[in-house]
Amino acid sequence: MAEIVVKRWSADHFSPRAKKSQAGRCAQGGSPCGRDAEFTIVYPNGEPIATCPDHLITYVRTRINDDEH
């Protein structure tokens, strides 16, 4: 079963190195996504990343699919 940790976005979730995430921009999908972050995903390795709603859905689908295989 995939365990997915999602929080409401906050600048406090990120180190100064994570400039895009800390600035409230979606960091999923690399630089092309210019949307605002609404959520923080915490990867299984503990690393947080800011994400928009569309990329959150993509992440959840991918994790669930990976877990089923």
Side-chain angles (χ1 to χ4, degrees):
M1 176 189 305
E3 288 191 31
I4 299 169
V5 178
V6 178
K7 303 175 183 181
R8 183 184 306 251
W9 177 87
S10 169
D12 296 337
H13 297 155
F14 308 100
S15 71
R17 246 185 52 218
K19 293 185 187 324
K20 190 169 185 180
S21 288
Q22 193 177 41
R25 305 300 289 172
C26 179
Q28 288 281 80
S31 296
C33 186
R35 296 184 63 193
D36 288 339
E38 293 184 35
F39 305 98
T40 296
I41 295 170
V42 181
Y43 284 154
N45 67 1
E47 180 183 348
I49 187 167
T51 189
C52 67
D54 290 340
H55 279 116
L56 173 60
I57 291 167
T58 300
Y59 175 78
V60 169
R61 286 181 177 153
T62 300
R63 286 289 311 276
I64 289 171
N65 188 47
D66 289 350
D67 193 53
E68 290 176 351
H69 293 105

